[in-house]
Amino acid sequence: EISLRPGVRFDFGAVGKGFALSEAASELSEWQLPSYMIQFGGEIAIGEPPPGRVGWRVQVPGWPEVLELASCAVATSGSSEQYVEIDGVRYAHVLDARTGMPLTEQREVTVISHSSLRADATATCIHILGPDRAQEMLDQNAVSIGIIVKDGAVVWQSPTWPRPYHRGE
């Protein structure tokens, strides 16, 4: 049981969209509709490419080129859109479980993985942990790759970014 004081809400936003996308992609596969791109907020589930294409065109925040992706999931976690500013401090909608406080450093994390749920959860974790722990996190999660953008510039990226899912070459 979780008790919250009045005005405080708890939601599954850290993984809810990823879970929903994984379920939607699974349904499309069962219906034998392999070519799709489904988008919920900052999360995207991508099936096989459209006819005559190598992949679906996806623009990742802060990355200069449009990626052509297939059979993967893309999740972005950040504070560029969901935040509140109080006394000149910008508080993100993501809480750091270690402190119980919202993040104040502005950055965007995008993860590409084989599953929407994994991409969503990993992007949120890396957003909280930051660039110093990102590689360690992804090394333990070998099926995902990521990028961290701060103030519009790439501050960290996986050694294999944007591969193995980039098919536009």
Side-chain angles (χ1 to χ4, degrees):
E1 180 178 317
I2 298 174
S3 298
L4 302 173
R5 59 187 138 101
V8 175
R9 297 182 318 179
F10 181 78
D11 70 48
F12 293 95
V15 295
K17 290 186 281 183
F19 175 77
L21 281 171
S22 288
E23 291 296 305
S26 178
E27 285 295 313
L28 290 174
S29 293
E30 284 184 29
W31 295 341
Q32 298 182 3
L33 298 169
S35 181
Y36 59 83
M37 182 169 73
I38 315 165
Q39 188 261 351
F40 292 163
E43 324 304 325
I44 304 170
I46 301 170
E48 293 178 14
R53 304 288 309 259
V54 295
W56 292 89
R57 295 173 54 81
V58 176
Q59 181 66 60
V60 171
W63 189 251
E65 65 180 271
V66 173
L67 303 179
E68 290 190 330
L69 304 172
S71 303
C72 65
V74 181
T76 298
S77 178
S79 55
S80 65
E81 296 182 28
Q82 294 181 336
Y83 65 91
V84 64
E85 192 167 318
I86 301 172
D87 295 329
V89 179
R90 186 172 173 164
Y91 297 95
H93 70 291
V94 176
L95 300 180
D96 185 334
R98 299 168 296 188
T99 65
M101 297 298 295
L103 301 178
T104 56
E105 186 172 339
Q106 299 174 38
R107 60 179 165 249
E108 304 294 319
V109 176
T110 299
V111 169
I112 300 174
S113 190
H114 71 288
S115 110
S116 297
L117 181 57
R118 182 175 298 275
D120 196 3
T122 304
T124 301
C125 288
I126 292 174
H127 183 199
I128 293 166
L129 296 174
D132 294 339
R133 301 271 316 275
Q135 188 60 52
E136 176 186 340
M137 171 89 183
L138 290 174
D139 284 347
Q140 295 172 5
N141 180 6
V143 296
S144 301
I145 57 175
I147 184 173
I148 300 176
V149 175
K150 184 174 179 182
D151 299 326
V154 174
V155 295
W156 180 89
Q157 70 188 63
S158 297
T160 58
W161 177 270
R163 294 164 193 77
Y165 303 100
H166 184 230
R167 302 204 177 175
E169 298 175 334

